[in-house]
Amino acid sequence: MSAMAAQEPVRRPGGRNARVRTAVCEAVLDLLHEADWDDLSIAQVAERSGVHQATIYRRWGTLGALVDDVVTEQLTRSSPVPDTGTLRGDLEAYAVQVAEDVAGPLGPVFLRAALVGTRPEGEPSKQVYLLERGTQLQKMLDRARDRGENPPTLLELLEVILAPLYFHAMFFERPTNAHHARTLVDRLLALSEKK
Amino acid sequence: MSAMAAQEPVRRPGGRNARVRTAVCEAVLDLLHEADWDDLSIAQVAERSGVHQATIYRRWGTLGALVDDVVTEQLTRSSPVPDTGTLRGDLEAYAVQVAEDVAGPLGPVFLRAALVGTRPEGEPSKQVYLLERGTQLQKMLDRARDRGENPPTLLELLEVILAPLYFHAMFFERPTNAHHARTLVDRLLALSEKK
DNA sequence: ATCTTAACGCGAATAGTCTTGCTTTAAGCG
DNA sequence: CGCTTAAAGCAAGACTATTCGCGTTAAGAT
């Protein structure tokens, strides 16, 4: 269980507070599995979670902010970056993992959440998640370098592997599969060799 | 001006019909320049366009469908695929063009529209636009082949150039610039040479 | 054990969204 | 030029979503 994402409460971190949060998050995920984001409403979440509507409005304000919060938590808690001993192994494991996530029922929700500007002020929006993940991936690349391999930059990794996977999820219904993920890894490694 | 997208009316293609459509589309674009999609409402569009709310509800049903329609029309009418005489020239012109579009105020709207499932039944959703554009791009690649160049496949083009540009628009606020676009073209051409 | 108070639950009030029946306008046709 | 009729305008009304005040609960502290 991680710390609050929406807003750091000055006190009362655990207990009922957390129970409500958990119930709401679960309800949102449940409902998103059953129907599209567009069909989701705060009233529904309230009913499903047993938490009163007013509470949800008070804590999250809008549906967009709520979904964004839930998605962020999901992504943050998601599996660690792999460490298989070889760059290729790491990349393949990672790519396959992302391909699965993005092809899953929540794939479109994740992507759409990135596009919904919910953070009111400052808040670097998505960067929160991306930076954390970016750091982990950078470590993966560093490990490869330490082994004497010739890894790509983080940006190259994002552009050559992540971007196409997301792109497919956005525009083609067909799920991106493991084979495709491996093709992308080949492409990235080919680029690195070349340099 | 293209034919209806929402639903082919059995009769009455031009005249007032078209005037209303134009007014509404313009209003939507206007408003999307001034504020986010989330702040947009049908009531607003009605006021700005001078078209009655009920009319908009009857023709488009939901805000999502309306925005989707407008966006699709925008994308469809957008500039033709370049023909500069060289593959590299074509690719660069195309990439720079896309980079500009996607970094513009409507960039996020375009992307988000792709994620909103508005088409009720069958309707291949985005494929409509993507296929048309795909066809044009394929022709561009064919021209290169006819000249004796060694062009990439359409899929490679989409994955190596388009996908990263979209990715940047989604996750980094920083506008993708022309320089970045050219880097991507280099990468794509490097891949083709290698084969 | 008791106190303090942030957060919750509840129901009512408000505001905003969407639908509907009817009237009016004007495009396309004879 | 005058019909016919799809589509637009209008306004009332139904339905949702959102906010608010107030009483209640329970977490954290003494």
Side-chain angles (χ1 to χ4, degrees), chain A residues 38 112 115-117, chain B residues 31-41 44 62-69 71 106 108-118 126:
Chain A
D38 300 287
R112 181 162 160 188
L115 252 7
V116 177
Chain B
L31 291 166
L32 282 176
H33 279 283
E34 294 165 20
D36 280 350
W37 181 329
D38 300 287
D39 305 326
L40 194 65
S41 75
Q44 261 179 101
T62 69
L63 192 70
L66 172 56
V67 174
D68 184 64
D69 187 22
V71 162
L106 291 183
V109 177
F110 291 159
L111 293 176
R112 180 162 162 186
L115 251 9
V116 177
T118 45
K126 314 301 133 194

PDB file of all heavy atoms in Angstrom, chain A residues 38 112 115-117, chain B residues 31-41 44 62-69 71 106 108-118 126:
ATOM      1  N   ASP A  38     -16.179   5.806 -20.439  1.00  0.00           N
ATOM      2  CA  ASP A  38     -17.289   6.724 -20.705  1.00  0.00           C
ATOM      3  C   ASP A  38     -18.566   6.292 -19.999  1.00  0.00           C
ATOM      4  O   ASP A  38     -19.452   7.099 -19.771  1.00  0.00           O
ATOM      5  CB  ASP A  38     -17.557   6.810 -22.208  1.00  0.00           C
ATOM      6  CG  ASP A  38     -16.340   7.323 -22.945  1.00  0.00           C
ATOM      7  OD1 ASP A  38     -16.052   8.521 -22.842  1.00  0.00           O
ATOM      8  OD2 ASP A  38     -15.676   6.512 -23.624  1.00  0.00           O
ATOM      9  N   ARG A 112      -5.452   6.580 -21.947  1.00  0.00           N
ATOM     10  CA  ARG A 112      -6.325   7.743 -21.920  1.00  0.00           C
ATOM     11  C   ARG A 112      -6.065   8.581 -20.679  1.00  0.00           C
ATOM     12  O   ARG A 112      -6.129   9.812 -20.728  1.00  0.00           O
ATOM     13  CB  ARG A 112      -7.780   7.285 -21.945  1.00  0.00           C
ATOM     14  CG  ARG A 112      -8.730   8.432 -21.949  1.00  0.00           C
ATOM     15  CD  ARG A 112     -10.091   7.997 -22.398  1.00  0.00           C
ATOM     16  NE  ARG A 112     -11.108   8.936 -21.970  1.00  0.00           N
ATOM     17  CZ  ARG A 112     -12.403   8.721 -22.094  1.00  0.00           C
ATOM     18  NH1 ARG A 112     -12.826   7.586 -22.636  1.00  0.00           N
ATOM     19  NH2 ARG A 112     -13.263   9.615 -21.701  1.00  0.00           N
ATOM     20  N   LEU A 115      -3.700  11.246 -20.999  1.00  0.00           N
ATOM     21  CA  LEU A 115      -4.123  12.382 -21.822  1.00  0.00           C
ATOM     22  C   LEU A 115      -5.091  13.307 -21.114  1.00  0.00           C
ATOM     23  O   LEU A 115      -5.385  14.404 -21.594  1.00  0.00           O
ATOM     24  CB  LEU A 115      -4.815  11.855 -23.085  1.00  0.00           C
ATOM     25  CG  LEU A 115      -4.108  11.962 -24.422  1.00  0.00           C
ATOM     26  CD1 LEU A 115      -2.685  12.445 -24.293  1.00  0.00           C
ATOM     27  CD2 LEU A 115      -4.166  10.644 -25.135  1.00  0.00           C
ATOM     28  N   VAL A 116      -5.584  12.861 -19.974  1.00  0.00           N
ATOM     29  CA  VAL A 116      -6.549  13.683 -19.252  1.00  0.00           C
ATOM     30  C   VAL A 116      -5.813  14.546 -18.248  1.00  0.00           C
ATOM     31  O   VAL A 116      -5.195  14.044 -17.328  1.00  0.00           O
ATOM     32  CB  VAL A 116      -7.585  12.800 -18.521  1.00  0.00           C
ATOM     33  CG1 VAL A 116      -8.536  13.671 -17.720  1.00  0.00           C
ATOM     34  CG2 VAL A 116      -8.345  11.971 -19.529  1.00  0.00           C
ATOM     35  N   GLY A 117      -5.840  15.825 -18.465  1.00  0.00           N
ATOM     36  CA  GLY A 117      -5.121  16.731 -17.582  1.00  0.00           C
ATOM     37  C   GLY A 117      -5.870  16.967 -16.294  1.00  0.00           C
ATOM     38  O   GLY A 117      -6.724  17.819 -16.227  1.00  0.00           O
TER      39      GLY A 117
ATOM     40  N   LEU B  31     -13.396  26.413 -29.395  1.00  0.00           N
ATOM     41  CA  LEU B  31     -13.434  26.170 -27.959  1.00  0.00           C
ATOM     42  C   LEU B  31     -12.286  25.275 -27.516  1.00  0.00           C
ATOM     43  O   LEU B  31     -11.729  25.449 -26.431  1.00  0.00           O
ATOM     44  CB  LEU B  31     -14.778  25.553 -27.580  1.00  0.00           C
ATOM     45  CG  LEU B  31     -15.953  26.525 -27.726  1.00  0.00           C
ATOM     46  CD1 LEU B  31     -17.285  25.790 -27.686  1.00  0.00           C
ATOM     47  CD2 LEU B  31     -15.895  27.580 -26.632  1.00  0.00           C
ATOM     48  N   LEU B  32     -11.924  24.326 -28.358  1.00  0.00           N
ATOM     49  CA  LEU B  32     -10.825  23.434 -27.987  1.00  0.00           C
ATOM     50  C   LEU B  32      -9.493  24.177 -27.977  1.00  0.00           C
ATOM     51  O   LEU B  32      -8.543  23.743 -27.341  1.00  0.00           O
ATOM     52  CB  LEU B  32     -10.762  22.246 -28.939  1.00  0.00           C
ATOM     53  CG  LEU B  32     -11.793  21.155 -28.661  1.00  0.00           C
ATOM     54  CD1 LEU B  32     -11.711  20.061 -29.709  1.00  0.00           C
ATOM     55  CD2 LEU B  32     -11.600  20.575 -27.264  1.00  0.00           C
ATOM     56  N   HIS B  33      -9.449  25.289 -28.692  1.00  0.00           N
ATOM     57  CA  HIS B  33      -8.229  26.093 -28.636  1.00  0.00           C
ATOM     58  C   HIS B  33      -8.162  26.862 -27.332  1.00  0.00           C
ATOM     59  O   HIS B  33      -7.084  27.186 -26.842  1.00  0.00           O
ATOM     60  CB  HIS B  33      -8.177  27.064 -29.817  1.00  0.00           C
ATOM     61  CG  HIS B  33      -7.697  26.437 -31.081  1.00  0.00           C
ATOM     62  ND1 HIS B  33      -6.367  26.176 -31.317  1.00  0.00           N
ATOM     63  CD2 HIS B  33      -8.351  25.993 -32.164  1.00  0.00           C
ATOM     64  CE1 HIS B  33      -6.235  25.603 -32.506  1.00  0.00           C
ATOM     65  NE2 HIS B  33      -7.428  25.476 -33.042  1.00  0.00           N
ATOM     66  N   GLU B  34      -9.332  27.164 -26.799  1.00  0.00           N
ATOM     67  CA  GLU B  34      -9.380  27.998 -25.592  1.00  0.00           C
ATOM     68  C   GLU B  34      -9.300  27.199 -24.300  1.00  0.00           C
ATOM     69  O   GLU B  34      -8.876  27.702 -23.278  1.00  0.00           O
ATOM     70  CB  GLU B  34     -10.668  28.822 -25.578  1.00  0.00           C
ATOM     71  CG  GLU B  34     -10.718  29.846 -26.704  1.00  0.00           C
ATOM     72  CD  GLU B  34     -12.122  30.397 -26.911  1.00  0.00           C
ATOM     73  OE1 GLU B  34     -12.928  30.288 -25.975  1.00  0.00           O
ATOM     74  OE2 GLU B  34     -12.395  30.904 -28.011  1.00  0.00           O
ATOM     75  N   ALA B  35      -9.754  25.963 -24.335  1.00  0.00           N
ATOM     76  CA  ALA B  35      -9.771  25.183 -23.098  1.00  0.00           C
ATOM     77  C   ALA B  35      -9.686  23.692 -23.414  1.00  0.00           C
ATOM     78  O   ALA B  35      -9.761  23.282 -24.568  1.00  0.00           O
ATOM     79  CB  ALA B  35     -11.037  25.480 -22.315  1.00  0.00           C
ATOM     80  N   ASP B  36      -9.542  22.915 -22.345  1.00  0.00           N
ATOM     81  CA  ASP B  36      -9.413  21.474 -22.504  1.00  0.00           C
ATOM     82  C   ASP B  36     -10.719  20.818 -22.906  1.00  0.00           C
ATOM     83  O   ASP B  36     -11.797  21.363 -22.722  1.00  0.00           O
ATOM     84  CB  ASP B  36      -8.978  20.857 -21.173  1.00  0.00           C
ATOM     85  CG  ASP B  36      -7.491  21.018 -20.971  1.00  0.00           C
ATOM     86  OD1 ASP B  36      -6.814  21.413 -21.934  1.00  0.00           O
ATOM     87  OD2 ASP B  36      -7.019  20.752 -19.855  1.00  0.00           O
ATOM     88  N   TRP B  37     -10.571  19.639 -23.383  1.00  0.00           N
ATOM     89  CA  TRP B  37     -11.708  18.810 -23.743  1.00  0.00           C
ATOM     90  C   TRP B  37     -12.652  18.661 -22.554  1.00  0.00           C
ATOM     91  O   TRP B  37     -13.875  18.706 -22.692  1.00  0.00           O
ATOM     92  CB  TRP B  37     -11.199  17.440 -24.176  1.00  0.00           C
ATOM     93  CG  TRP B  37     -12.217  16.451 -24.594  1.00  0.00           C
ATOM     94  CD1 TRP B  37     -13.508  16.313 -24.158  1.00  0.00           C
ATOM     95  CD2 TRP B  37     -12.039  15.457 -25.598  1.00  0.00           C
ATOM     96  NE1 TRP B  37     -14.116  15.281 -24.799  1.00  0.00           N
ATOM     97  CE2 TRP B  37     -13.252  14.735 -25.681  1.00  0.00           C
ATOM     98  CE3 TRP B  37     -10.971  15.091 -26.401  1.00  0.00           C
ATOM     99  CZ2 TRP B  37     -13.408  13.670 -26.565  1.00  0.00           C
ATOM    100  CZ3 TRP B  37     -11.140  14.025 -27.274  1.00  0.00           C
ATOM    101  CH2 TRP B  37     -12.347  13.326 -27.350  1.00  0.00           C
ATOM    102  N   ASP B  38     -12.076  18.512 -21.384  1.00  0.00           N
ATOM    103  CA  ASP B  38     -12.893  18.282 -20.192  1.00  0.00           C
ATOM    104  C   ASP B  38     -13.760  19.481 -19.845  1.00  0.00           C
ATOM    105  O   ASP B  38     -14.758  19.347 -19.155  1.00  0.00           O
ATOM    106  CB  ASP B  38     -11.995  17.972 -18.997  1.00  0.00           C
ATOM    107  CG  ASP B  38     -11.164  16.739 -19.235  1.00  0.00           C
ATOM    108  OD1 ASP B  38     -11.726  15.644 -19.206  1.00  0.00           O
ATOM    109  OD2 ASP B  38      -9.950  16.886 -19.489  1.00  0.00           O
ATOM    110  N   ASP B  39     -13.317  20.636 -20.272  1.00  0.00           N
ATOM    111  CA  ASP B  39     -14.071  21.847 -19.946  1.00  0.00           C
ATOM    112  C   ASP B  39     -15.130  22.133 -21.001  1.00  0.00           C
ATOM    113  O   ASP B  39     -15.907  23.080 -20.879  1.00  0.00           O
ATOM    114  CB  ASP B  39     -13.123  23.040 -19.843  1.00  0.00           C
ATOM    115  CG  ASP B  39     -12.009  22.773 -18.844  1.00  0.00           C
ATOM    116  OD1 ASP B  39     -12.276  22.091 -17.846  1.00  0.00           O
ATOM    117  OD2 ASP B  39     -10.875  23.232 -19.079  1.00  0.00           O
ATOM    118  N   LEU B  40     -15.117  21.340 -22.047  1.00  0.00           N
ATOM    119  CA  LEU B  40     -16.060  21.569 -23.148  1.00  0.00           C
ATOM    120  C   LEU B  40     -17.418  20.970 -22.804  1.00  0.00           C
ATOM    121  O   LEU B  40     -17.508  19.929 -22.176  1.00  0.00           O
ATOM    122  CB  LEU B  40     -15.501  20.882 -24.398  1.00  0.00           C
ATOM    123  CG  LEU B  40     -16.122  21.246 -25.741  1.00  0.00           C
ATOM    124  CD1 LEU B  40     -15.864  22.701 -26.062  1.00  0.00           C
ATOM    125  CD2 LEU B  40     -15.523  20.353 -26.824  1.00  0.00           C
ATOM    126  N   SER B  41     -18.476  21.669 -23.201  1.00  0.00           N
ATOM    127  CA  SER B  41     -19.810  21.102 -23.018  1.00  0.00           C
ATOM    128  C   SER B  41     -20.652  21.387 -24.254  1.00  0.00           C
ATOM    129  O   SER B  41     -20.372  22.333 -25.003  1.00  0.00           O
ATOM    130  CB  SER B  41     -20.486  21.704 -21.794  1.00  0.00           C
ATOM    131  OG  SER B  41     -20.917  23.007 -22.090  1.00  0.00           O
ATOM    132  N   GLN B  44     -22.057  24.856 -24.351  1.00  0.00           N
ATOM    133  CA  GLN B  44     -21.109  25.853 -24.840  1.00  0.00           C
ATOM    134  C   GLN B  44     -21.055  25.890 -26.361  1.00  0.00           C
ATOM    135  O   GLN B  44     -21.054  26.947 -26.971  1.00  0.00           O
ATOM    136  CB  GLN B  44     -19.716  25.490 -24.345  1.00  0.00           C
ATOM    137  CG  GLN B  44     -19.249  26.228 -23.130  1.00  0.00           C
ATOM    138  CD  GLN B  44     -17.865  25.730 -22.761  1.00  0.00           C
ATOM    139  OE1 GLN B  44     -16.861  26.361 -23.045  1.00  0.00           O
ATOM    140  NE2 GLN B  44     -17.803  24.566 -22.143  1.00  0.00           N
ATOM    141  N   THR B  62     -23.574  12.629 -28.283  1.00  0.00           N
ATOM    142  CA  THR B  62     -22.701  12.884 -27.142  1.00  0.00           C
ATOM    143  C   THR B  62     -21.551  13.798 -27.543  1.00  0.00           C
ATOM    144  O   THR B  62     -21.215  13.932 -28.714  1.00  0.00           O
ATOM    145  CB  THR B  62     -22.079  11.586 -26.601  1.00  0.00           C
ATOM    146  OG1 THR B  62     -21.144  11.104 -27.565  1.00  0.00           O
ATOM    147  CG2 THR B  62     -23.133  10.521 -26.361  1.00  0.00           C
ATOM    148  N   LEU B  63     -20.935  14.363 -26.537  1.00  0.00           N
ATOM    149  CA  LEU B  63     -19.792  15.230 -26.773  1.00  0.00           C
ATOM    150  C   LEU B  63     -18.661  14.447 -27.424  1.00  0.00           C
ATOM    151  O   LEU B  63     -18.005  14.916 -28.356  1.00  0.00           O
ATOM    152  CB  LEU B  63     -19.324  15.816 -25.440  1.00  0.00           C
ATOM    153  CG  LEU B  63     -18.327  16.939 -25.549  1.00  0.00           C
ATOM    154  CD1 LEU B  63     -19.000  18.168 -26.119  1.00  0.00           C
ATOM    155  CD2 LEU B  63     -17.712  17.248 -24.207  1.00  0.00           C
ATOM    156  N   GLY B  64     -18.473  13.238 -26.927  1.00  0.00           N
ATOM    157  CA  GLY B  64     -17.409  12.396 -27.478  1.00  0.00           C
ATOM    158  C   GLY B  64     -17.573  12.184 -28.975  1.00  0.00           C
ATOM    159  O   GLY B  64     -16.631  12.331 -29.746  1.00  0.00           O
ATOM    160  N   ALA B  65     -18.776  11.862 -29.367  1.00  0.00           N
ATOM    161  CA  ALA B  65     -19.031  11.610 -30.779  1.00  0.00           C
ATOM    162  C   ALA B  65     -18.814  12.873 -31.602  1.00  0.00           C
ATOM    163  O   ALA B  65     -18.297  12.827 -32.719  1.00  0.00           O
ATOM    164  CB  ALA B  65     -20.459  11.092 -30.961  1.00  0.00           C
ATOM    165  N   LEU B  66     -19.207  13.987 -31.039  1.00  0.00           N
ATOM    166  CA  LEU B  66     -19.046  15.258 -31.743  1.00  0.00           C
ATOM    167  C   LEU B  66     -17.577  15.577 -31.958  1.00  0.00           C
ATOM    168  O   LEU B  66     -17.134  15.840 -33.076  1.00  0.00           O
ATOM    169  CB  LEU B  66     -19.726  16.381 -30.944  1.00  0.00           C
ATOM    170  CG  LEU B  66     -19.486  17.807 -31.443  1.00  0.00           C
ATOM    171  CD1 LEU B  66     -19.905  17.948 -32.899  1.00  0.00           C
ATOM    172  CD2 LEU B  66     -20.230  18.802 -30.574  1.00  0.00           C
ATOM    173  N   VAL B  67     -16.817  15.530 -30.888  1.00  0.00           N
ATOM    174  CA  VAL B  67     -15.391  15.823 -31.001  1.00  0.00           C
ATOM    175  C   VAL B  67     -14.736  14.840 -31.962  1.00  0.00           C
ATOM    176  O   VAL B  67     -13.934  15.215 -32.807  1.00  0.00           O
ATOM    177  CB  VAL B  67     -14.700  15.759 -29.627  1.00  0.00           C
ATOM    178  CG1 VAL B  67     -13.200  15.918 -29.786  1.00  0.00           C
ATOM    179  CG2 VAL B  67     -15.247  16.834 -28.717  1.00  0.00           C
ATOM    180  N   ASP B  68     -15.114  13.598 -31.831  1.00  0.00           N
ATOM    181  CA  ASP B  68     -14.556  12.579 -32.709  1.00  0.00           C
ATOM    182  C   ASP B  68     -14.819  12.929 -34.170  1.00  0.00           C
ATOM    183  O   ASP B  68     -13.939  12.832 -35.015  1.00  0.00           O
ATOM    184  CB  ASP B  68     -15.180  11.229 -32.372  1.00  0.00           C
ATOM    185  CG  ASP B  68     -14.566  10.112 -33.189  1.00  0.00           C
ATOM    186  OD1 ASP B  68     -13.364   9.866 -33.020  1.00  0.00           O
ATOM    187  OD2 ASP B  68     -15.275   9.517 -34.009  1.00  0.00           O
ATOM    188  N   ASP B  69     -16.028  13.331 -34.442  1.00  0.00           N
ATOM    189  CA  ASP B  69     -16.402  13.692 -35.809  1.00  0.00           C
ATOM    190  C   ASP B  69     -15.566  14.862 -36.302  1.00  0.00           C
ATOM    191  O   ASP B  69     -14.991  14.828 -37.388  1.00  0.00           O
ATOM    192  CB  ASP B  69     -17.894  14.035 -35.841  1.00  0.00           C
ATOM    193  CG  ASP B  69     -18.377  14.262 -37.267  1.00  0.00           C
ATOM    194  OD1 ASP B  69     -17.718  13.770 -38.198  1.00  0.00           O
ATOM    195  OD2 ASP B  69     -19.405  14.936 -37.441  1.00  0.00           O
ATOM    196  N   VAL B  71     -12.695  15.987 -35.197  1.00  0.00           N
ATOM    197  CA  VAL B  71     -11.295  15.613 -35.313  1.00  0.00           C
ATOM    198  C   VAL B  71     -11.057  14.799 -36.583  1.00  0.00           C
ATOM    199  O   VAL B  71     -10.099  15.038 -37.314  1.00  0.00           O
ATOM    200  CB  VAL B  71     -10.857  14.811 -34.073  1.00  0.00           C
ATOM    201  CG1 VAL B  71      -9.579  14.052 -34.350  1.00  0.00           C
ATOM    202  CG2 VAL B  71     -10.674  15.750 -32.900  1.00  0.00           C
ATOM    203  N   LEU B 106      -4.099  21.304 -30.644  1.00  0.00           N
ATOM    204  CA  LEU B 106      -5.064  20.219 -30.823  1.00  0.00           C
ATOM    205  C   LEU B 106      -4.423  18.840 -30.733  1.00  0.00           C
ATOM    206  O   LEU B 106      -5.119  17.825 -30.778  1.00  0.00           O
ATOM    207  CB  LEU B 106      -5.788  20.373 -32.155  1.00  0.00           C
ATOM    208  CG  LEU B 106      -6.742  21.563 -32.216  1.00  0.00           C
ATOM    209  CD1 LEU B 106      -7.464  21.593 -33.546  1.00  0.00           C
ATOM    210  CD2 LEU B 106      -7.741  21.509 -31.072  1.00  0.00           C
ATOM    211  N   PRO B 108      -3.130  16.955 -28.303  1.00  0.00           N
ATOM    212  CA  PRO B 108      -3.697  16.057 -27.294  1.00  0.00           C
ATOM    213  C   PRO B 108      -5.133  15.649 -27.615  1.00  0.00           C
ATOM    214  O   PRO B 108      -5.541  14.528 -27.324  1.00  0.00           O
ATOM    215  CB  PRO B 108      -3.647  16.902 -26.015  1.00  0.00           C
ATOM    216  CG  PRO B 108      -2.564  17.904 -26.254  1.00  0.00           C
ATOM    217  CD  PRO B 108      -2.595  18.198 -27.711  1.00  0.00           C
ATOM    218  N   VAL B 109      -5.859  16.562 -28.208  1.00  0.00           N
ATOM    219  CA  VAL B 109      -7.246  16.250 -28.549  1.00  0.00           C
ATOM    220  C   VAL B 109      -7.297  15.134 -29.586  1.00  0.00           C
ATOM    221  O   VAL B 109      -8.089  14.189 -29.475  1.00  0.00           O
ATOM    222  CB  VAL B 109      -7.968  17.494 -29.095  1.00  0.00           C
ATOM    223  CG1 VAL B 109      -9.377  17.128 -29.521  1.00  0.00           C
ATOM    224  CG2 VAL B 109      -7.985  18.593 -28.056  1.00  0.00           C
ATOM    225  N   PHE B 110      -6.448  15.238 -30.589  1.00  0.00           N
ATOM    226  CA  PHE B 110      -6.389  14.198 -31.616  1.00  0.00           C
ATOM    227  C   PHE B 110      -6.135  12.845 -30.972  1.00  0.00           C
ATOM    228  O   PHE B 110      -6.824  11.858 -31.243  1.00  0.00           O
ATOM    229  CB  PHE B 110      -5.259  14.486 -32.608  1.00  0.00           C
ATOM    230  CG  PHE B 110      -5.512  15.682 -33.478  1.00  0.00           C
ATOM    231  CD1 PHE B 110      -4.465  16.344 -34.108  1.00  0.00           C
ATOM    232  CD2 PHE B 110      -6.804  16.157 -33.673  1.00  0.00           C
ATOM    233  CE1 PHE B 110      -4.694  17.454 -34.914  1.00  0.00           C
ATOM    234  CE2 PHE B 110      -7.048  17.269 -34.472  1.00  0.00           C
ATOM    235  CZ  PHE B 110      -5.983  17.914 -35.093  1.00  0.00           C
ATOM    236  N   LEU B 111      -5.128  12.818 -30.125  1.00  0.00           N
ATOM    237  CA  LEU B 111      -4.741  11.555 -29.512  1.00  0.00           C
ATOM    238  C   LEU B 111      -5.855  10.996 -28.645  1.00  0.00           C
ATOM    239  O   LEU B 111      -6.189   9.822 -28.713  1.00  0.00           O
ATOM    240  CB  LEU B 111      -3.478  11.757 -28.673  1.00  0.00           C
ATOM    241  CG  LEU B 111      -2.237  12.079 -29.494  1.00  0.00           C
ATOM    242  CD1 LEU B 111      -1.059  12.354 -28.589  1.00  0.00           C
ATOM    243  CD2 LEU B 111      -1.936  10.931 -30.449  1.00  0.00           C
ATOM    244  N   ARG B 112      -6.444  11.887 -27.873  1.00  0.00           N
ATOM    245  CA  ARG B 112      -7.477  11.407 -26.981  1.00  0.00           C
ATOM    246  C   ARG B 112      -8.682  10.905 -27.757  1.00  0.00           C
ATOM    247  O   ARG B 112      -9.326   9.928 -27.369  1.00  0.00           O
ATOM    248  CB  ARG B 112      -7.899  12.532 -26.039  1.00  0.00           C
ATOM    249  CG  ARG B 112      -8.962  12.105 -25.090  1.00  0.00           C
ATOM    250  CD  ARG B 112      -9.042  13.049 -23.929  1.00  0.00           C
ATOM    251  NE  ARG B 112     -10.303  12.922 -23.237  1.00  0.00           N
ATOM    252  CZ  ARG B 112     -10.686  13.710 -22.263  1.00  0.00           C
ATOM    253  NH1 ARG B 112      -9.899  14.701 -21.885  1.00  0.00           N
ATOM    254  NH2 ARG B 112     -11.832  13.541 -21.669  1.00  0.00           N
ATOM    255  N   ALA B 113      -8.979  11.567 -28.848  1.00  0.00           N
ATOM    256  CA  ALA B 113     -10.124  11.149 -29.662  1.00  0.00           C
ATOM    257  C   ALA B 113      -9.937   9.709 -30.128  1.00  0.00           C
ATOM    258  O   ALA B 113     -10.894   8.943 -30.231  1.00  0.00           O
ATOM    259  CB  ALA B 113     -10.289  12.082 -30.852  1.00  0.00           C
ATOM    260  N   ALA B 114      -8.691   9.365 -30.398  1.00  0.00           N
ATOM    261  CA  ALA B 114      -8.417   8.009 -30.868  1.00  0.00           C
ATOM    262  C   ALA B 114      -8.757   6.981 -29.798  1.00  0.00           C
ATOM    263  O   ALA B 114      -9.042   5.824 -30.081  1.00  0.00           O
ATOM    264  CB  ALA B 114      -6.958   7.883 -31.272  1.00  0.00           C
ATOM    265  N   LEU B 115      -8.750   7.431 -28.567  1.00  0.00           N
ATOM    266  CA  LEU B 115      -8.956   6.518 -27.449  1.00  0.00           C
ATOM    267  C   LEU B 115     -10.408   6.451 -26.987  1.00  0.00           C
ATOM    268  O   LEU B 115     -10.778   5.596 -26.184  1.00  0.00           O
ATOM    269  CB  LEU B 115      -8.103   6.988 -26.260  1.00  0.00           C
ATOM    270  CG  LEU B 115      -6.888   6.197 -25.854  1.00  0.00           C
ATOM    271  CD1 LEU B 115      -6.547   5.104 -26.846  1.00  0.00           C
ATOM    272  CD2 LEU B 115      -5.711   7.135 -25.674  1.00  0.00           C
ATOM    273  N   VAL B 116     -11.220   7.360 -27.462  1.00  0.00           N
ATOM    274  CA  VAL B 116     -12.614   7.389 -27.045  1.00  0.00           C
ATOM    275  C   VAL B 116     -13.438   6.546 -28.005  1.00  0.00           C
ATOM    276  O   VAL B 116     -13.531   6.855 -29.182  1.00  0.00           O
ATOM    277  CB  VAL B 116     -13.155   8.823 -27.016  1.00  0.00           C
ATOM    278  CG1 VAL B 116     -14.627   8.831 -26.649  1.00  0.00           C
ATOM    279  CG2 VAL B 116     -12.357   9.671 -26.046  1.00  0.00           C
ATOM    280  N   GLY B 117     -13.958   5.478 -27.495  1.00  0.00           N
ATOM    281  CA  GLY B 117     -14.731   4.582 -28.363  1.00  0.00           C
ATOM    282  C   GLY B 117     -16.120   5.119 -28.605  1.00  0.00           C
ATOM    283  O   GLY B 117     -17.011   4.867 -27.828  1.00  0.00           O
ATOM    284  N   THR B 118     -16.275   5.862 -29.667  1.00  0.00           N
ATOM    285  CA  THR B 118     -17.578   6.480 -29.905  1.00  0.00           C
ATOM    286  C   THR B 118     -18.450   5.726 -30.893  1.00  0.00           C
ATOM    287  O   THR B 118     -19.646   5.726 -30.778  1.00  0.00           O
ATOM    288  CB  THR B 118     -17.422   7.917 -30.417  1.00  0.00           C
ATOM    289  OG1 THR B 118     -16.434   7.923 -31.417  1.00  0.00           O
ATOM    290  CG2 THR B 118     -17.054   8.835 -29.288  1.00  0.00           C
ATOM    291  N   LYS B 126     -11.225   4.440 -35.838  1.00  0.00           N
ATOM    292  CA  LYS B 126     -10.115   5.236 -36.382  1.00  0.00           C
ATOM    293  C   LYS B 126      -9.589   4.687 -37.710  1.00  0.00           C
ATOM    294  O   LYS B 126      -9.037   5.419 -38.502  1.00  0.00           O
ATOM    295  CB  LYS B 126      -8.961   5.255 -35.400  1.00  0.00           C
ATOM    296  CG  LYS B 126      -9.378   5.534 -34.021  1.00  0.00           C
ATOM    297  CD  LYS B 126     -10.070   6.854 -33.950  1.00  0.00           C
ATOM    298  CE  LYS B 126     -11.326   6.672 -33.141  1.00  0.00           C
ATOM    299  NZ  LYS B 126     -12.240   7.792 -33.276  1.00  0.00           N
TER     300      LYS B 126
END
